[in-house]
Amino acid sequence: MYKLAVIDDEADTRSTLCSCFPWEQAGFHIETQLDNGEKALKYLLHHPIHAILCDIKMPRMSGIELAKEIHQRKLPVQVVLLSGLRDFELARQAIGYGVRHYLVKPAKYNDLHTVLSELKQELDEASHITTGEPLTTDSNDGATVPDHPVIQRILAYAETDFATATLEDAALMVHMNPSYVSSLFRKVTGGNFSEHVHATRMKKAAELLREGRWKAAEVSEMVGYANAKNFIRAFKQYYGKTPGQYKHEH
């Protein structure tokens, strides 16, 4: 059972979220409820929490500011942000801080269920890393990756910073030569780093398109493409259909 904190300055929203969803069936236990980001950060620094469900707009410290602190401090906490607005700029900032899940308030049951299922899968995979068990990568061939500390750090980096991830930055992070990192990555995972980042970007783009709230040009920028035409071309090559067609079908 994964520990979850619900953070929202509106007491009614917190109460509704905590009482009207089968959290334990989804694999989560609500460990605490807090009413602002500042309190949440203090709590996270002293208590083991796997994930937070957090409102974006709060007094004293917003959800975005909290996500930034979690990202910069490298706290092992997954973040799901809740917003009452369809705000592209906020979503882009959130992705820059490693946030992979973003819901519009009031959160619909099916949307919340989908996000929690994805979140649980990510936490399950992270637990495999911690316990030293094999981890299945997101690479196209679905190969199983033996536990390797350097490669696990690089995979985690690519997962959170996919919009800007580069082999050079990955190598700098692990204090190794880029050529050596490239060779090691291929040896351990069976694929190359750029292909892995590309697959991660495409899967995140598909996830955003399924939400139905973003235009293709917005998704393009959110997953790291400055040129929307290049994104559309890459997406079609990966999925066999344009972002517009994919969004319509899903």
Side-chain angles (χ1 to χ4, degrees):
M1 195 72 66
Y2 293 112
K3 296 179 180 180
L4 179 76
V6 177
I7 308 156
D8 196 309
D9 60 311
E10 297 178 2
D12 290 344
T13 300
R14 290 200 315 272
S15 177
T16 300
L17 275 172
C18 294
S19 62
C20 296
F21 187 84
W23 296 100
E24 299 204 352
Q25 288 182 27
F28 293 88
H29 170 71
I30 297 178
E31 196 74 7
T32 187
Q33 300 180 43
L34 300 164
D35 61 9
N36 69 63
E38 196 171 89
K39 288 182 182 177
L41 180 59
K42 289 179 181 177
Y43 188 91
L44 294 174
L45 291 173
H46 296 94
H47 300 84
I49 290 289
H50 296 101
I52 62 172
L53 184 62
C54 180
D55 190 23
I56 280 187
K57 301 233 173 143
M58 297 183 295
R60 300 177 69 175
M61 181 182 285
S62 70
I64 292 287
E65 290 169 335
L66 177 58
K68 181 180 179 180
E69 289 287 340
I70 289 171
H71 183 68
Q72 291 181 339
R73 293 169 185 260
K74 302 189 185 305
L75 300 179
V77 180
Q78 295 280 0
V79 179
V80 179
L81 288 178
L82 284 164
S83 172
L85 301 171
R86 179 191 179 280
D87 193 316
F88 168 65
E89 183 56 34
L90 289 179
R92 187 172 64 173
Q93 287 180 43
I95 288 175
Y97 299 139
V99 177
R100 293 177 54 79
H101 304 292
Y102 182 91
L103 291 168
V104 173
K105 294 170 65 176
K108 296 179 181 178
Y109 181 95
N110 288 341
D111 291 342
L112 191 54
H113 183 272
T114 297
V115 165
L116 287 174
S117 296
E118 294 172 352
L119 182 59
K120 184 177 183 301
Q121 182 178 353
E122 291 168 9
L123 290 168
D124 286 344
E125 291 176 355
S127 72
H128 287 314
I129 296 174
T130 303
T131 59
E133 297 175 13
L135 172 70
T136 300
T137 72
D138 286 330
S139 60
N140 291 332
D141 61 3
T144 299
V145 180
D147 186 58
H148 190 293
V150 170
I151 295 304
Q152 299 299 355
R153 284 191 65 193
I154 292 171
L155 287 170
Y157 159 71
E159 193 72 16
T160 57
D161 294 349
F162 58 85
T164 57
T166 66
L167 177 64
E168 288 72 21
D169 284 348
L172 188 64
M173 179 184 68
V174 296
H175 309 290
M176 291 181 176
N177 180 280
S179 296
Y180 177 77
V181 169
S182 178
S183 176
L184 180 65
F185 192 92
R186 180 179 290 279
K187 179 179 179 181
V188 175
T189 69
N192 67 48
F193 179 78
S194 63
E195 289 174 350
H196 179 79
V197 171
H198 177 66
T200 303
R201 286 177 174 173
M202 292 298 100
K203 289 174 182 178
K204 183 60 181 179
E207 180 183 315
L208 291 166
L209 289 167
R210 287 197 299 272
E211 291 179 13
R213 295 184 286 118
W214 313 109
K215 297 177 182 177
E218 292 174 329
V219 173
S220 170
E221 190 171 348
M222 291 161 78
V223 300
Y225 283 82
N227 187 307
K229 289 183 179 179
N230 289 342
F231 165 68
I232 293 170
R233 186 182 304 111
F235 190 92
K236 187 174 182 180
Q237 288 176 346
Y238 193 86
Y239 284 104
K241 58 192 72 175
T242 67
Q245 291 169 333
Y246 184 93
K247 182 177 179 180
H248 178 73
E249 293 174 8
H250 293 80

